[in-house]
Amino acid sequence: AQSVTQLGSHVSVSEGALVLLRCNYSSSVPPYLFWYVQYPNQGLQLLLKYTSAATLVKGINGFEAEFKKSETSFHLTKPSAHMRDAAEYFCAVRGRDSGYALNFGKGTSLLVTP
Amino acid sequence: GAGVSQSPSNKVTEKGKDVELRCDPISGHTALYWYRQSLGQGLEFLIYFQGNSAPDKSGLPSDRFSAERTGGSVSTLTIQRTQQEDSAVYLCASSLLAGGSGANVLTFGAGSRLTVL
């Protein structure tokens, strides 16, 4: 089954600093990849998705992610963190030859300090 | 509806009791998913319904867990003889089947928080 590994369960950045959340996938065939965000006491919201149309994917709230086949990675970045970005971030994968359910990573909690 | 609706939002029960959690997906979405979110464990896939096809039950952790989807819309997740390790947030999601593109986007509800005492 397809899986993703998120490196770092907690990441802390200063307001205005670069945000980098890491995600690596396991698949011999490029899968479909997603980043979701979960704000406190809310459900998950889609940030962005990779479908093979373009390796650099732009999402909502200034986030983007780059698909790198050579590194089997799909890291999430944002040039300048805001306090409102503090949340839990989940990377997810769906294999191209598997069912429609997504397999999620364990999540990375982003803390933004003033 | 406008979004995925789940009820109850919070449920406290005693060990050994049965519980039912309800999910009302977005109107027109043919696919429905249940996930479990435990502290530090991310999201664990439980079960997936697609139209009239047999559900994918591969993620259900034990035979105490079951789910049904009536009329292709509302779904109920039932946990029998609850155990303390069942305490978690149960998330429901729905999606359109994206066909050839494959990258169907799941829309999640706010979840049902289950606490087993």
Side-chain angles (χ1 to χ4, degrees):
Chain A
Q2 313 292 337
S3 66
V4 290
T5 301
Q6 292 184 242
L7 299 177
S9 58
H10 293 83
V11 170
S12 180
V13 299
S14 300
E15 191 173 19
L18 171 72
V19 176
L20 171 61
L21 304 181
R22 300 178 185 273
C23 174
N24 288 88
Y25 65 90
S26 65
S27 174
S28 58
V29 176
Y32 300 110
L33 292 158
F34 306 79
W35 276 99
Y36 279 81
V37 61
Q38 186 177 33
Y39 297 103
N41 300 314
Q42 296 186 28
L44 278 77
Q45 300 176 32
L46 179 70
L47 274 178
L48 49 81
K49 62 181 180 182
Y50 167 73
T51 63
S52 79
T55 56
L56 182 62
V57 182
K58 294 188 182 297
I60 62 171
N61 301 338
F63 284 92
E64 62 182 36
E66 185 173 8
F67 174 76
K68 291 187 176 180
K69 183 178 178 181
S70 61
E71 300 177 6
T72 61
S73 69
F74 190 57
H75 301 331
L76 182 70
T77 61
K78 181 173 180 178
S80 177
H82 291 113
M83 298 296 290
R84 62 177 177 266
D85 295 327
E88 189 85 12
Y89 291 80
F90 293 93
C91 183
V93 64
R94 182 208 148 206
R96 291 177 184 269
D97 58 353
S98 63
Y100 286 93
L102 302 184
N103 291 325
F104 285 82
K106 294 191 175 184
T108 298
S109 179
L110 177 65
L111 175 66
V112 182
T113 58
Chain B
V4 177
S5 179
Q6 292 188 246
S7 61
S9 56
N10 278 286
K11 176 71 176 179
V12 180
T13 190
E14 294 179 348
K15 178 181 174 181
K17 296 288 182 70
D18 297 352
V19 297
E20 287 189 349
L21 307 176
R22 176 188 167 103
C23 174
D24 199 345
I26 292 173
S27 179
H29 278 192
T30 56
L32 186 147
Y33 315 76
W34 283 98
Y35 286 85
R36 178 167 68 176
Q37 184 176 21
S38 305
L39 191 62
Q41 295 301 312
L43 275 76
E44 176 188 6
F45 166 72
L46 297 177
I47 188 169
Y48 156 65
F49 296 89
Q50 174 195 335
N52 296 320
S53 301
D56 176 357
K57 304 180 182 179
S58 60
L60 295 179
S62 77
D63 59 7
R64 295 186 296 105
F65 288 72
S66 63
E68 62 178 20
R69 189 179 185 192
T70 55
S73 180
V74 172
S75 176
T76 301
L77 177 69
T78 301
I79 309 173
Q80 295 178 310
R81 305 181 302 282
T82 51
Q83 304 295 313
Q84 289 184 332
E85 60 262 29
D86 299 334
S87 296
V89 177
Y90 290 82
L91 294 169
C92 177
S94 68
S95 75
L96 290 168
L97 290 186
S101 80
N104 53 304
V105 173
L106 275 62
T107 302
F108 282 84
S112 292
R113 180 176 297 278
L114 175 65
T115 303
V116 182
L117 301 178

